[in-house]
Amino acid sequence: MIILQTLPAVVLGLYTDRFDGRGLLAGCAVGLTWGLSMIPSISNLASLAIELGSVSILGWEPFTGSKIEIYPGLVALIGNLVVAAAVTAVLPRKEQKRPQPDPA
């Protein structure tokens, strides 16, 4: 889950110039915080100490008593991307200095 949250900052930061670095960092922080805070609510996590192979990757139940289980990293990734896009949209765009050709 931790690697999944750093992936947008690395990929979007290296291969595009559409996202601001501060927005990607804020999205990563929100995704990590939200995702890690969902881990204790996974219902199968208590059985990890007893039976190592019985933990489901899809363990977070969004609603109490529901039968739907969602991977917490995916939910946090969506939040990560939303925050990164929102912060990038709100912050003023930095001017990138491009080298000027030599008049030779």
Side-chain angles (χ1 to χ4, degrees):
M1 204 263 315
I2 294 172
I3 294 173
L4 184 63
Q5 298 311 312
T6 59
L7 192 64
V10 171
V11 172
L12 296 175
L14 287 176
Y15 295 112
T16 69
D17 61 348
R18 298 194 184 275
F19 285 90
D20 189 70
R22 298 169 290 183
L24 290 171
L25 188 61
C28 186
V30 167
L32 283 169
T33 304
W34 194 15
L36 290 173
S37 69
M38 281 190 271
I39 288 178
S41 67
I42 294 176
S43 61
N44 294 337
L45 196 59
S47 67
L48 178 62
I50 300 168
E51 300 174 27
L52 194 57
S54 66
V55 177
S56 171
I57 192 170
L58 301 171
W60 179 66
E61 296 174 355
F63 307 107
T64 306
S66 74
K67 299 294 180 190
I68 298 173
E69 294 182 345
I70 301 173
Y71 177 51
L74 183 62
V75 176
L77 179 66
I78 293 169
N80 182 338
L81 293 171
V82 167
V83 168
V87 171
T88 299
V90 170
L91 291 177
R93 188 128 176 113
K94 288 183 181 179
E95 290 294 324
Q96 293 183 352
K97 295 181 182 177
R98 298 183 185 222
Q100 298 296 326
D102 241 353

